[in-house]
Amino acid sequence: SSELTQDPAVSVALGQTVRITCRGDSLRKYYASWYQQKPRQAPVLVIYGKNNRPSGIPDRFSGSSSGNTASFTITGAQAEDEADYYCNSRDNSGNHLFGGGTKLTVL
Amino acid sequence: QVQLQESGPGLVKPSETLSLTCTVSGDSISGYYWSWIRQPPGKGLEWIGYIYNSVSTNYNPSLKSRVTISVDTSKNQFSLKLTSVTAADTAVYYCARDQGYCTNTICSGWFDPWGQGTLVSVSS
């Protein structure tokens, strides 16, 4: 199928580690990219490729992939990491796909 | 540093055509893929389509019959036209640079940077 599935909501205690997952058949051929979106702001790329961070993105953010599942991990979550996170990939026709988004709450 | 800025009407009447422009600064628009993405209020992201070098386009199948993306290299801009709009097309519309690569075994794609987004409401 050409869909990406994310859990709608995840919570993490301050300073702990949290993993957000994204599932879809396209992830067997494409690495996922990950975006952080805070309220009333544009999405920001945080992870791309195998596990690459754009300049300025904290190194507590990381990505990984196995089979049809991509994961985004925050090691030592901070209050400012509270946001919506979206995964993105492509299907076999080159069409972009987005997951439905995961709302991360930092407790 | 590449920057993108969307512009266009914030209000469009039902059945009319939504037209937006994205102005790229800090780099040439040539040689890159450029995408439009939208986000209805309170909902997730939806890719609309991309253009490459004025000659190659690819659109979301769910919008394909109504979408046209074009490039004006002389102005370093690319544009979106969405026809026959309804209330369901009300959204924040973003433009973004669309990048990626492939190795022998796997590909990677990502959007960076993004414009700040512009809200387009469809209402009479």
Side-chain angles (χ1 to χ4, degrees), chain B residues 89-112:
Chain B
D89 295 309
T90 293
V92 175
Y93 285 76
Y94 297 100
C95 56
R97 188 168 62 180
D98 186 340
Q99 303 185 76
Y101 67 85
C102 286
T103 67
N104 288 338
T105 56
I106 198 164
C107 294
S108 177
W110 63 92
F111 298 109
D112 183 59

Side-chain angles (χ1 to χ4, degrees), chain B residues 31-80:
Chain B
Y32 291 101
Y33 289 77
W34 303 93
S35 272
W36 286 98
I37 297 153
R38 70 181 183 178
Q39 184 172 35
K43 296 188 178 181
L45 300 168
E46 179 181 35
W47 173 73
I48 299 170
Y50 69 62
I51 189 164
Y52 174 71
N53 271 357
S54 304
V55 296
S56 176
T57 55
N58 194 18
Y59 302 132
N60 187 320
S62 69
L63 299 169
K64 188 173 184 176
S65 64
R66 299 194 291 130
V67 172
T68 301
I69 298 176
S70 59
V71 163
D72 186 338
T73 54
S74 68
K75 296 182 179 179
N76 228 39
Q77 296 175 334
F78 64 106
S79 298
L80 169 69

Side-chain angles (χ1 to χ4, degrees), chain A residues 18-96:
Chain A
V18 62
R19 176 175 293 179
I20 296 171
T21 60
C22 175
R23 293 181 175 82
D25 288 342
S26 66
L27 297 175
R28 298 183 185 279
K29 296 183 179 180
Y30 274 93
Y31 288 123
S33 53
W34 292 91
Y35 304 86
Q36 177 192 68
Q37 187 179 34
K38 296 182 179 179
R40 295 172 296 283
Q41 295 184 19
V44 173
L45 176 70
V46 292
I47 293 289
Y48 68 99
K50 188 174 184 179
N51 181 21
N52 302 110
R53 285 176 288 105
S55 174
I57 300 302
D59 61 5
R60 62 179 180 273
F61 292 173
S62 64
S64 62
S65 183
S66 177
N68 72 336
T69 301
S71 299
F72 171 72
T73 301
I74 305 176
T75 304
Q78 302 299 304
E80 61 264 32
D81 298 335
E82 187 162 290
D84 294 330
Y85 290 87
Y86 292 91
C87 63
N88 163 249
S89 179
R90 297 197 191 204
D91 65 17
N92 289 333
S93 299
N95 301 311
H96 276 283

